[in-house]
Amino acid sequence: QVALMESGGGLVQAGGSLRLSCAASGSIFSINRMGWYRQAPGKQRELVAAITSGNSTNFADSVKGRFTISRDSAKNTVYLQMNSLKPEDTATYYCYALIRSTGQVGWFDYWGQGTQVTVSS
C-alpha cells in the first residue's frame, strides 16, 4: 500500500509564508509526477503546482512568482514553498503523486488527506 502524508498547513497573515511537505511511503517502485491541488469552499479543486521526476515544473497562473515546488526523490517527498500569501490562497491543499507500486503494473494517482491553509487579511 501507498500513503501520502502532508504537513505544514496553518494560519498566516497576508504577505506571510508557509511551507507544505508531503511524504510518500509504502510499497513504492517509482514516482513520476508529484504536486499540489487546492480546494476552497464552494469551488472546484484546482492544480496549484506540479513537478516531474525530471524536475520540470508547472504552476497555476495565480501563484506564479509566489510559490515554488521542489522534491527530494531520495525521501519521496515534495515541498511547496508559499510566499506573499493572499487571502484568496485560503483552501485545503492536497498532495498527489503518480506512483507505480512494487509488483504492480501501471501508474496510479494517490492523494493525501489534505492540509488547511488559512490566510487572514
Side-chain angles (χ1 to χ4, degrees):
Q1 290 189 347
V2 173
L4 301 184
M5 180 64 70
E6 300 130 331
S7 62
L11 173 64
V12 65
Q13 288 189 329
S17 298
L18 283 174
R19 187 191 195 210
L20 305 183
S21 300
C22 172
S25 62
S27 303
I28 297 171
F29 177 77
S30 183
I31 300 178
N32 188 329
R33 189 171 57 250
M34 302 185 80
W36 297 88
Y37 278 73
R38 68 186 180 187
Q39 188 167 21
K43 294 188 177 181
Q44 289 189 328
R45 189 174 295 191
E46 63 173 355
L47 175 68
V48 177
I51 184 167
T52 68
S53 56
N55 289 323
S56 295
T57 60
N58 65 291
F59 296 89
D61 287 343
S62 60
V63 307
K64 284 180 180 176
R66 300 188 297 122
F67 291 11
T68 58
I69 187 169
S70 60
R71 66 189 282 175
D72 184 334
S73 295
K75 296 181 179 179
N76 292 332
T77 299
V78 63
Y79 305 96
L80 184 69
Q81 178 66 43
M82 305 184 292
N83 299 327
S84 302
L85 282 161
K86 304 176 180 179
E88 51 263 43
D89 294 317
T90 295
T92 302
Y93 284 69
Y94 297 91
C95 170
Y96 85 96
L98 183 62
I99 294 173
R100 182 178 173 183
S101 298
T102 303
Q104 191 172 38
V105 176
W107 298 81
F108 297 90
D109 281 334
Y110 291 86
W111 293 86
Q113 301 248 353
T115 185
Q116 179 66 35
V117 171
T118 302
V119 184
S120 63
S121 58

